[in-house]
Amino acid sequence: MGHKDMKKTLLAIGVLGAFSVSAYAQNSVTLYGLIDTGLIYTNNQAGHSNWQMATSSTQNTVFGLKGTEDLGGGVRTIFKLEQGFNLNNGSQAFPGDAFGSQAWVGLQSENLGTVTLGRQFDVLNDQLGPITAGSNTWGGNLAAHPFENDNLAADSVVVNNSVKYVSPTYAGVTFEGMYSFSNKAGGFADNRAYGFSVGYAHGPVNLAGGYLQFNNAGGGVSGTNPNGAIAQADGSANFIAERQRIWGAGGNYTFGPATVGFVWSHTQIDNMAGVISLGLGSYLPLGGNLRLDNYEVNAHYSVTSAWSVSGAYTFTDGAYNQGATKASPKWNSVMLQTDYSLSKRTDVYLEGVYQHVHGAPADSVLADAMINTLSPSSTGTQVAVTVGLRHQF
């Protein structure tokens, strides 16, 4: 073979190799995960102080598979299979579910948007959640609003049988819509969910808002379809109720190393049968109707590229009635955190959360403070402090 032929052959091999690498990059399956664990001190859980090892205090501890296949013409197949688990004992975060955190597949088009089908987070959580402290690493699950009543912290409510559409982003605006089937013959509306959200992002400004509704979540009071859109057996339902409606809106602004935000959400829960305590892993009896308005202000500041501090305050204004019993419970919740990154994938944090509730009926679970993921206090006040380690891969 001559020198010129050799050069042509090597060039051809190089070009084929480049196409091969490009094709490989466009069709991939990735194993990923996040581990969040630490020690928590709580001043009052059922009347006793408690030191405990905990997992997912800020972010859900998960492992999963995600992938994509290029179909050509700007269209690709995408999927995600994700399982949440408790690091302290290895148990499933969603008992009985093989992929309880997420399990979906869909098609994504650069021009038309994305459609996904399966078990997914809801549309309000997708766009409004990231503006709250409860949905971020710098606050997380412990900083969720009382009873996680608006589903913005993404630690428990995952919706079954869902079809979700996400639009392309036009001039900074993204729209999402979803419908989640009850999957019950003769009970189309028995444990279904639906909603929409809109987000806007441009430069330092982020805005979002939307609406979400559950009908007979967890089977409702009658328990006729406990494993429809919002399952009861695996703890996906925060409330067992005939109907739950959530409105929300908020925004944040970034200037230099600081971000400040405000979020309002309104939750209406009709004809309840119970509310879940993640700390106990069980439902606490609670009947009647409950209205909650959550007003959150938050701030995050990067002191250096590795060290950050953050805080949030939420005032929750409630209205409760059951027969002749009427009350106006109110919650004050405060979160402070400092975080230090040891590397791009590992960080340590120290976080404190305070919650106080007053004005609730004395014999109701509403009268006991209950920081998200922890067992309830025996009084209207609860304080928790945690030191934790996070690693993602």
Side-chain angles (χ1 to χ4, degrees):
M1 180 182 294
H3 182 66
K4 290 185 178 179
D5 291 336
M6 177 65 76
K7 289 179 66 176
K8 290 180 179 179
T9 301
L10 292 174
L11 179 60
I13 292 173
V15 171
L16 288 173
F19 276 115
S20 176
V21 170
S22 176
Y24 180 78
Q26 293 172 355
N27 302 279
S28 64
V29 176
T30 303
L31 172 68
Y32 70 95
L34 186 144
I35 299 170
D36 178 359
T37 189
L39 302 176
I40 297 182
Y41 167 78
T42 311
N43 74 321
N44 187 326
Q45 290 185 9
H48 304 279
S49 63
N50 192 18
W51 284 94
Q52 62 191 107
M53 181 180 177
T55 185
S56 304
S57 295
T58 59
Q59 289 183 279
N60 295 348
T61 295
V62 300
F63 71 91
L65 295 170
K66 59 183 177 181
T68 180
E69 180 190 16
D70 190 352
L71 302 177
V75 179
R76 61 182 61 87
T77 305
I78 56 175
F79 77 89
K80 181 174 283 189
L81 302 173
E82 184 178 283
Q83 173 64 305
F85 64 99
N86 301 306
L87 188 73
N88 54 315
N89 58 21
S91 62
Q92 296 173 314
F94 296 91
D97 295 350
F99 294 102
S101 292
Q102 297 184 70
W104 52 260
V105 65
L107 294 174
Q108 185 176 67
S109 166
E110 295 175 359
N111 298 321
L112 300 177
T114 303
V115 175
T116 51
L117 302 93
R119 180 175 169 87
Q120 310 174 69
F121 290 114
D122 67 70
V123 291
L124 200 59
N125 185 285
D126 286 349
Q127 300 212 73
L128 184 60
I131 298 175
T132 69
S135 186
N136 279 281
T137 60
W138 46 266
N141 295 330
L142 284 172
H145 302 154
F147 305 108
E148 230 282 83
N149 67 83
D150 48 15
N151 304 335
L152 296 179
D155 65 329
S156 60
V157 179
V158 191
V159 188
N160 294 332
N161 316 322
S162 295
V163 180
K164 182 192 295 186
Y165 170 74
V166 181
S167 75
T169 300
Y170 298 108
V173 177
T174 305
F175 170 82
E176 292 192 26
M178 67 173 286
Y179 188 91
S180 304
F181 293 85
S182 72
N183 276 13
K184 181 181 179 181
F188 186 78
D190 188 359
N191 197 352
R192 66 173 175 176
Y194 54 89
F196 68 90
S197 64
V198 179
Y200 172 78
H202 179 71
V205 177
N206 288 280
L207 303 172
Y211 174 76
L212 183 66
Q213 179 165 326
F214 301 154
N215 293 106
N216 287 335
V221 176
S222 60
T224 51
N225 188 22
N227 294 308
I230 310 294
Q232 181 178 158
D234 64 7
S236 293
N238 280 341
F239 291 89
I240 304 300
E242 180 180 338
R243 183 173 62 178
Q244 181 176 354
R245 292 174 287 175
I246 304 168
W247 294 261
N252 62 25
Y253 185 84
T254 299
F255 48 99
T259 300
V260 294
F262 173 78
V263 174
W264 163 80
S265 64
H266 174 77
T267 302
Q268 293 188 195
I269 309 161
D270 301 320
N271 193 16
M272 295 181 292
V275 56
I276 193 173
S277 165
L278 291 175
L280 293 175
S282 61
Y283 283 92
L284 304 175
L286 180 65
N289 304 307
L290 182 63
R291 305 289 185 266
L292 298 167
D293 282 284
N294 305 283
Y295 304 91
E296 176 188 324
V297 290
N298 58 60
H300 176 262
Y301 183 81
S302 297
V303 182
T304 69
S305 60
W307 177 30
S308 68
V309 293
S310 58
Y313 167 71
T314 301
F315 172 67
T316 301
D317 188 13
Y320 174 74
N321 68 81
Q322 183 181 27
T325 301
K326 299 183 185 301
S328 300
K330 302 181 189 306
W331 290 259
N332 289 276
S333 305
V334 179
M335 179 281 300
L336 294 172
Q337 187 201 90
T338 182
D339 178 272
Y340 188 81
S341 296
L342 302 175
S343 69
K344 290 183 177 180
R345 299 194 303 171
T346 302
D347 64 305
V348 292
Y349 61 86
L350 175 66
E351 182 170 327
V353 180
Y354 164 87
Q355 185 183 104
H356 176 70
V357 56
H358 66 278
D363 58 348
S364 166
V365 298
L366 298 175
D368 298 328
M370 187 170 71
I371 295 171
N372 194 42
T373 76
L374 301 177
S375 298
S377 172
S378 62
T379 71
T381 300
Q382 189 171 59
V383 177
V385 178
T386 179
V387 56
L389 171 68
R390 275 189 301 236
H391 176 74
Q392 52 187 317
F393 59 90

